[in-house]
Every structure is written in structure tokens, then in C-alpha cells.
Amino acid sequence: IEAARSASKARTAELEAEVRRLRGELDDERSRRRAASAADARVDATAVRRIAELEAAVAEARREADRTATEVDRLIGVERELRRERSTLEAALIEATTGPGWLGADPAVLAGHLDELARMARVAQVGAAEPVEPGRSPLRLPQGARPDRHEAIDWLVEQRTPLTLVVDGYNAGFHLTGSREPAAARRRLGLEIGRLSPIAAGPMRIVIVYDSSVGAAPPVPGAAGPEVRFTDPGTPADEEIARLAATLSGPVIVLSSDRWVREATEAAGALALWSEALVDWTGKR
């Protein structure tokens, strides 16, 4: 009986140990499943949030596409209106210059014709640039050099031929400062442009043209450094630069990022560089 009791107690202890082990494994499995469920829930929440963000981005892209389409339609309408205006102006020019007895018309009518001619001349100024001065040898950048990089300015200061550099003042100054503050642009441009003449290999005349409608400052009498010009009231700097490119003697180089200025001055025989070239050059110094 004692042996049976001992055996029974030992078996009971073994079974209780097995029960505890199985319960521990069950608890571990439940914990693992709860952790997996929590991870799945987090993944699901992240996926739902990301889907919502993507749907919002798609909706914004569609709204932007609609705004772009509306703007394109508006610009198409503007283009049609400009074409109609151009046709009207061309017809008025033909009538004004070829009509019977237009020179003998009433003075008031004649004044109107002349105003119309002046307006048409301003519109077509790019195509009516003055011819290149006889004997002028326009400079050209070397093969592969870009007009908007610092190597264009490096090439400029290496020129031994006497030349004139005409600078679109506020255009270059605003690029240098990254702002639209006229006084700061003039100060910075004067500082950077003033470094060119001392290191130039040949004689270099520098003329900075500022549009007086943007901002003007009284000239400093006898000030050393580049020549500074403020345009007359009503005269844009673009037109003054184009006039200088067509009338100055010798090689002329123009510094401007304005496409109209570059095209007009190149038509007059000048070499056009971009304001970004000066910005890049100052960053390399």
C-alpha cells in the first residue's frame, strides 16, 4: 500500500508538472497571438492612413489639373485677343502709311497716325535692330562654353581686345541678391562688377543701366568704378541697353537674363551673357 501511495504521488506530481508546462505553452501562444494581432492592427492602421493620404494627393492633383486646364483656356483666349489686336494694328499701319493723301491729312489725324506708328515700332523693335557697325568684330564664346556659367565670365576677363560690357542692372542685381530690393541690388552688383576691371587682361569699359521706374539713386560725382546710368523717365532699361548695343563702337558684351534684351542686342551684333553667369562666377571666387 505504501509503495502504491508513493507511486501514485509521484505520478500525480508528474501530471501536475505536465499540466503546468502545457499551461505555460498555452499562455505563450496566447501572448504571441495577441502580439501578432496588435502588429496586424498597426499595419492595417498604417495602410488605411497611407491610402487616405494617397487619395487626398490624387484629389489635389485632379484639382490642380482642373486649375491648369482653366488657366490654359484663359491663355488661349488671351492669345486670340492679342492676335486680333495685332491684326488690327497691322491693318492700321498699312492704312496709315499707304492710304491716299495721308501726309496731307488733318494735323490731329496725322498725329494719331504717328502715335500708331510709334506703337508699332515699339512692338517690332526686336526685328528692327540697327545693323552691326562696319568693322566691328563681334566676340563669340569658345566652343562648349555656356553663357550662364562662370566660365563665360572667366573668358570675358581674359579678353585682351578693348570691349564694353553693358549690364542690365536690376536684372543682374536681383539675381545676385535673390531679392527685389533695388538699393541692395545696386550695392551688391556694384561690388561684384567692380572686381572685373582690375583683373581684366585688356581694357574693359563697364556700363550698368538701371531702369529709373524700378528705383533710382543720385549719381556720385567722380565715383570710381563702373559707369552707372539711370534711364530717362518713360524709357525702359531694356530699350536703352538695346540702343547701346547698336551704337557703341567696338565689341559689346551684354549681361542680362532677359530674353528680349539678349535677342535685341545679339541682333545688333553684341554678345549676350546671362546674369546667372555672374552669380556662378561670384560663387566660385
Side-chain angles (χ1 to χ4, degrees):
I1 291 172
E2 289 297 328
R5 285 177 178 174
S6 295
S8 177
K9 287 181 179 179
R11 179 59 178 163
T12 301
E14 290 177 1
L15 293 175
E16 288 176 348
E18 182 66 14
V19 168
R20 287 194 298 270
R21 185 184 66 80
L22 292 175
R23 283 179 176 173
E25 291 181 357
L26 179 60
D27 291 341
D28 292 342
E29 180 63 19
R30 287 174 176 172
S31 297
R32 187 189 64 78
R33 291 187 179 184
R34 283 196 296 270
S37 298
D40 290 343
R42 286 194 297 272
V43 170
D44 291 345
T46 301
V48 170
R49 185 170 62 254
R50 182 57 179 162
I51 290 172
E53 292 173 353
L54 291 175
E55 289 176 343
V58 169
E60 178 60 27
R62 287 174 177 169
R63 288 192 294 270
E64 182 63 25
D66 292 341
R67 289 193 293 267
T68 301
T70 302
E71 180 65 11
V72 168
D73 291 341
R74 186 188 70 81
L75 292 175
I76 290 174
V78 170
E79 181 187 18
R80 292 197 189 100
E81 183 61 30
L82 290 174
R83 289 182 182 276
R84 284 195 294 269
E85 182 179 356
R86 178 176 177 177
S87 298
T88 301
L89 290 174
E90 289 176 345
L93 176 61
I94 294 173
E95 180 181 357
T97 55
T98 62
W102 75 283
L103 288 175
D106 181 85
V109 176
L110 180 58
H113 289 326
L114 293 176
D115 289 342
E116 197 67 31
L117 284 172
R119 182 181 178 185
M120 286 298 298
R122 183 180 296 272
V123 171
Q125 187 169 0
V126 173
E130 298 182 26
V132 178
E133 174 189 346
R136 177 193 286 186
S137 299
L139 296 173
R140 292 292 178 264
L141 283 173
Q143 186 71 24
R146 290 174 46 176
D148 62 339
R149 298 295 302 276
H150 65 90
E151 56 260 27
I153 304 299
D154 291 334
W155 169 86
L156 171 63
V157 297
E158 292 171 357
Q159 301 308 300
R160 298 184 178 278
T161 303
L163 57 86
T164 301
L165 174 64
V166 181
V167 183
D168 190 349
Y170 285 124
N171 180 278
F174 291 157
H175 275 80
L176 282 169
T177 60
S179 71
R180 304 289 294 181
E181 210 287 308
R186 292 194 300 268
R187 287 193 298 270
R188 178 69 185 279
L189 180 61
L191 175 65
E192 301 298 348
I193 286 294
R195 297 161 59 187
L196 296 180
S197 293
I199 63 175
M204 180 187 299
R205 177 189 177 190
I206 301 178
V207 182
I208 304 177
V209 179
Y210 290 110
D211 194 321
S212 59
S213 66
V214 176
V220 180
E227 178 183 340
V228 177
R229 297 188 182 187
F230 287 90
T231 61
D232 295 331
T235 301
D238 297 356
E239 294 184 5
E240 177 66 12
I241 293 169
R243 185 189 68 79
L244 290 173
T247 58
L248 289 174
S249 59
V252 176
I253 297 178
V254 173
L255 186 69
S256 176
S257 293
D258 186 288
R259 180 176 179 180
W260 187 96
V261 172
R262 296 199 308 271
E263 291 180 348
T265 54
E266 286 179 341
L271 169 65
L273 305 180
W274 295 43
S275 296
E276 287 85 351
L278 180 63
V279 176
D280 190 33
W281 184 77
T282 58
K284 298 290 183 180
R285 302 293 290 178

